[in-house]
Amino acid sequence: GAGEVDGLSPAPLHPRAPAARVYAARFVRAGRVRAVGNRPSDIVIEPAAIRAAVERELFTGRAMFIDHATRSSGSPEQASLRNLAGVTVEATWNEAEQAAEGAIRLYDNEAGRAIGSLLQQFLADAAAGRPVPDVGLSLVFWPTWKDEGGRMKDEGNRSSLILHPSSLKVITSIRHIESIDFVFEPAAGGRITKDEGGRMKDELQPSTFNLQPSTLQGDNMSEQTHSLSLVAAPEGDLPPEETRSFPKNLVSWATQALLATSGLPEPTRLRLAGSHFQSPAELQQAIEAARREVAALNQGQVIQLGGTPPRQPHITTGLTGFEQLHLAAEALLMGRRPPHNVRPLTGIRELYHLLSGDYEMTGVFQPERVQFANVNSSTMAALTANALNKVVTNLFQTYPQWWLPIATEVDFTSLQNARWTTLGGVGELPTVAEGASYTELTWDDQVEQDAFVKKGGYLGITLEAIDKDDTTRLQAAPRALAQAAWLTLAKAVSNIFTANSGVGPTLDTDSTALFHANHNNLGTTALSWSAWSATRTAMRKQTEVHSGERLGWLTAPKYLLVPPDLEATAIQVLASDQQPGTSNNDVNPFAEGAAREALIESARRRVIVVDLWTDTNNWAAVADPLLYPSIGLGYRYGRTPEVFSVASPTAGLMFTNDTMPIKVRYFFVTGPTDYRGLYKHNVA
């Protein structure tokens, strides 16, 4: 069957673009076809023949070539893949049109782009009212037909008798369709069409243009000037059923395409490419068998720690050997046994041997001896760093982070200077009368800036320590790293209160020390109940930025910071039933809690002992940061220190010093955000 162009919907064309170009199509229509010279032919296709072929999916997945392949004698030959332009999809039977319809998808190759370009030019010509050539589709198929006497015949060769019939021939069935090709002056109603019923998928986006050669009008096939391009079967019998959907001219191409996406190793692909397969299903079965074979071979190259599935089916953890090794390494660093069904490591030397293959302790990675997949020269250092990271993080979080109750934590997205902003200036909200307009509020802000600091260093694990199996030294590393990071951050926050002889850093907003008489937050009184009462009063009298309105409860002190020498005094100030240090029995208004235990517990939560303070008399008060932030604490790349591996067997310390360095890094920034929520007493 064949057809001219009726309507089409191309996607934008680019010479190298892989975008799909899909068009609705009518592959063939029942009735009388036309012959060469625009004359009605004596060939008739019965509707039942086409409908049955659609139901057997003979129109789906057919190759589409540019022109039928013919020899000089006029008989067809095997088509060339160079002319393969597309494939047919979604074939259905249209009862109203008595036709097989569907869609075609053009390939992103030279032939497909050529056809796509032609169809776009036809579309442009039709829109401009210019004539359009008679280009359409034509079947290469095996028919069964009957003559005028009703005698049935299977067409067994690709002869020209259908092209030049001498008597009526009625095609009663289609036994096989080899291809549906693009040809000039097609015959049996196959067209590139638009779909008025909306059956096509959304991405097809059919065009509303209707390209119709001016000489082709009407629906009666006998009245149309179609040229006959129905082509009969090749010489010989019909090919076996299992090979009809896998034509010989596509075997090599399809085999290479399937093998290229199979994920098999190159030697296996080359072996399969040299074999002959009768169908896609047979090739797919061979690919699956090869995958199982490769998996079985690789399985034997993975080391077992205890029992590693799938070779030990009674193990149900599902962990690979390397995953179990990782758990064993973490347990080794923490000085405990690994999880159930994971064999523990005897020491760091065994870990080194398993991941490096360097039994001679040369410091050189021996990949042929390592039985884990995806292990390279840096795996040992990376695994050790990952395990250290987890242990360091857990240990760091167990240390008393005394600064957290008084600080406002922020995770920053860059290492730009941290900007601590305090808003103010609004004061009291003005009254809005009924029906009156709102007035614009005036507001101000002040900004303090602090730069990030980068803290870090590295620990060196020497080859000698590994050879001596000095596991206890490695086990001590996480605690040392966590402790160093904790101490570093603790000192940074502590220094806000002790820098510059106890008056703190200089603020950006007024070039004045954090604790200063101008800020009404600096005193010299020793800690006592009366001193705490006076400090509380002074802090509640602080005023808002630029507005002068008292902040009151927002800046009232919640936390009392003292050196270890004043811990007992601080708890007495906040927890005693009566006023400590007096001879009367007045109730202590600063105590919180009904029972003795509750009083002491509340006081302990509010008293923060700063062990880094060496002056035994100085103390400070801090407001609740949820009500009035006073100290900012920012992080970059996480709130805990990071551990990295930086080992290379051909460079650096591993090469020059036989030392595997493990680096620790910590980015943070801290500083005062505003003075109003802070008060310091520097006692002589």
Side-chain angles (χ1 to χ4, degrees):
E4 73 274 11
V5 180
D6 280 350
L8 60 162
S9 174
L13 183 65
H14 186 281
R16 301 299 300 173
R21 289 160 296 176
V22 185
Y23 303 85
R26 181 171 66 242
F27 302 132
V28 65
R29 185 160 58 188
R32 187 181 296 271
V33 301
R34 68 179 182 179
V36 177
N38 293 328
R39 300 188 307 273
S41 74
D42 292 325
I43 302 300
V44 176
I45 306 177
E46 290 187 341
I50 300 175
R51 182 171 57 249
V54 171
E55 292 172 353
R56 292 167 57 201
E57 298 186 353
L58 298 184
F59 286 95
T60 299
R62 299 305 94 188
M64 306 190 71
F65 296 91
I66 299 178
D67 295 325
H68 295 314
T70 57
R71 297 191 183 95
S72 58
S73 61
S75 59
E77 66 177 2
Q78 181 172 304
S80 171
L81 283 178
R82 290 189 298 270
N83 295 329
L84 181 63
V87 65
T88 63
V89 294
E90 301 179 348
T92 60
W93 167 253
N94 187 329
E95 183 67 29
E97 292 290 330
Q98 297 284 284
E101 297 179 346
I104 67 171
R105 185 187 304 113
L106 298 181
Y107 291 133
D108 183 34
N109 59 5
E110 185 175 354
R113 289 191 294 269
I115 288 296
S117 177
L118 281 176
L119 294 179
Q120 289 201 42
Q121 293 180 61
F122 294 163
L123 177 62
D125 288 345
R130 294 187 290 267
V132 178
D134 185 7
V135 175
L137 307 175
S138 175
L139 305 183
V140 176
F141 73 121
W142 281 261
T144 298
W145 53 274
K146 61 183 178 181
D147 59 18
E148 290 178 313
R151 292 182 294 272
M152 301 297 298
K153 180 177 177 60
D154 286 345
E155 189 58 46
N157 56 69
R158 290 176 173 170
S159 66
S160 60
L161 64 92
I162 296 184
L163 299 176
H164 303 283
S166 57
S167 60
L168 180 66
K169 290 178 174 59
V170 179
I171 296 176
T172 58
S173 69
I174 298 174
R175 300 157 59 206
H176 175 62
I177 299 175
E178 181 176 296
S179 65
I180 302 178
D181 304 331
F182 296 97
V183 299
F184 178 67
E185 290 191 344
R191 307 293 182 202
I192 305 295
T193 66
K194 61 185 176 68
D195 190 336
E196 300 290 355
R199 175 185 57 82
M200 294 186 297
K201 296 180 180 179
D202 294 340
E203 62 264 25
L204 300 184
Q205 299 177 349
S207 171
T208 56
F209 289 97
N210 182 17
L211 284 117
Q212 185 90 343
S214 58
T215 58
L216 306 179
Q217 301 293 339
D219 294 327
N220 189 334
M221 290 293 295
S222 63
E223 296 177 359
Q224 296 182 6
T225 56
H226 294 251
S227 65
L228 179 62
S229 55
L230 292 172
V231 181
E235 296 182 2
D237 297 332
L238 188 67
E241 181 68 28
E242 63 269 19
T243 65
R244 295 181 191 177
S245 62
F246 205 61
K248 291 181 180 180
N249 58 352
L250 295 180
V251 169
S252 176
W253 172 80
T255 299
Q256 295 297 331
L258 290 173
L259 290 177
T261 58
S262 65
L264 293 171
E266 184 176 1
T268 306
R269 296 200 305 269
L270 292 176
R271 175 172 61 81
L272 294 178
S275 304
H276 178 70
F277 302 98
Q278 297 295 327
S279 68
E282 183 178 334
L283 173 58
Q284 194 61 45
Q285 291 174 359
I287 290 175
E288 292 300 326
R291 285 173 177 163
R292 291 192 294 270
E293 177 184 0
V294 171
L297 292 174
N298 288 337
Q299 175 181 312
Q301 301 302 316
V302 180
I303 194 168
Q304 294 191 58
L305 283 180
T308 302
R311 292 191 297 278
Q312 300 287 338
H314 63 279
I315 301 298
T316 58
T317 61
L319 297 174
T320 66
F322 187 77
E323 289 170 338
Q324 293 196 31
L325 181 62
H326 200 292
L327 292 176
E330 289 180 4
L332 178 69
L333 292 177
M334 290 186 289
R336 63 182 63 171
R337 291 191 61 84
H340 182 60
N341 290 327
V342 175
R343 183 177 71 83
L345 290 165
T346 60
I348 185 176
R349 182 168 55 189
E350 182 186 13
L351 177 64
Y352 179 77
H353 286 168
L354 288 173
L355 292 177
S356 68
D358 181 23
Y359 308 135
E360 295 84 1
M361 305 301 291
T362 62
V364 178
F365 179 64
Q366 306 290 341
E368 68 279 359
R369 299 177 179 176
V370 178
Q371 297 185 11
F372 289 99
N374 301 320
V375 171
N376 54 43
S377 60
S378 62
T379 302
M380 169 71 177
L383 185 145
T384 305
N386 290 340
L388 285 172
N389 247 325
K390 182 176 293 187
V391 180
V392 168
T393 298
N394 292 337
L395 286 173
F396 183 84
Q397 292 173 343
T398 62
Y399 290 167
Q401 300 180 45
W402 57 264
W403 56 85
L404 290 184
I406 63 174
T408 301
E409 293 186 291
V410 180
D411 292 296
F412 288 92
T413 58
S414 76
L415 291 174
Q416 297 286 350
N417 285 355
R419 294 172 57 86
W420 315 111
T421 303
T422 301
L423 295 179
V426 175
E428 180 187 5
L429 291 175
T431 301
V432 180
E434 181 179 355
S437 60
Y438 286 83
T439 58
E440 182 181 359
L441 300 176
T442 58
W443 60 310
D444 300 291
D445 62 59
Q446 65 179 30
V447 178
E448 296 293 330
Q449 296 191 55
D450 289 292
F452 273 90
V453 293
K454 178 171 66 173
K455 301 288 186 175
Y458 75 87
L459 294 176
I461 303 176
T462 65
L463 207 61
E464 289 83 355
I466 295 174
D467 187 59
K468 294 175 184 178
D469 214 4
D470 192 358
T471 304
T472 56
R473 183 178 180 85
L474 184 61
Q475 289 172 339
R479 186 168 298 279
L481 294 176
Q483 178 177 304
W486 171 83
L487 183 60
T488 301
L489 187 54
K491 291 185 67 174
V493 180
S494 171
N495 287 342
I496 295 176
F497 296 88
T498 60
N500 299 322
S501 301
V503 297
T506 300
L507 299 183
D508 298 325
T509 52
D510 58 6
S511 300
T512 303
L514 173 63
F515 302 107
H516 195 276
N518 293 345
H519 293 159
N520 297 317
N521 69 346
L522 179 63
T524 59
T525 308
L527 178 60
S528 65
W529 180 89
S530 58
W532 174 258
S533 177
T535 298
R536 180 181 177 86
T537 301
M539 292 181 68
R540 297 184 69 164
K541 290 182 178 180
Q542 292 284 8
T543 58
E544 186 186 34
V545 176
H546 300 312
S547 75
E549 296 287 344
R550 277 193 178 180
L551 293 170
W553 186 259
L554 298 181
T555 52
K558 180 176 182 179
Y559 297 102
L560 174 55
L561 278 63
V562 295
D565 313 79
L566 294 178
E567 181 179 13
T569 303
I571 293 176
Q572 289 175 356
V573 168
L574 297 181
S576 299
D577 287 332
Q578 273 72 42
Q579 298 178 12
T582 65
S583 58
N584 57 44
N585 292 323
D586 293 343
V587 174
N588 180 9
F590 307 128
E592 296 180 359
R596 176 178 176 81
E597 292 77 10
L599 289 172
I600 295 177
E601 179 61 27
S602 174
R604 289 189 182 278
R605 287 196 302 268
R606 297 172 62 193
V607 172
I608 297 177
V609 178
V610 186
D611 293 299
L612 298 174
W613 286 0
T614 58
D615 191 294
T616 60
N617 297 314
N618 294 350
W619 58 281
V622 180
D624 187 344
L626 296 178
L627 300 178
Y628 200 88
S630 301
I631 295 176
L633 180 55
Y635 306 96
R636 184 74 176 109
Y637 309 116
R639 298 188 176 187
T640 56
E642 305 169 279
V643 179
F644 299 91
S645 65
V646 291
S648 170
T650 58
L653 292 177
M654 196 64 187
F655 181 75
T656 60
N657 295 59
D658 288 335
T659 298
M660 182 176 68
I662 302 296
K663 182 178 71 175
V664 61
R665 185 184 74 180
Y666 202 11
F667 278 100
F668 65 85
V669 58
T670 187
T673 62
D674 189 45
Y675 65 84
R676 292 168 178 82
L678 301 171
Y679 204 106
K680 177 75 183 298
H681 284 273
N682 293 325
V683 183

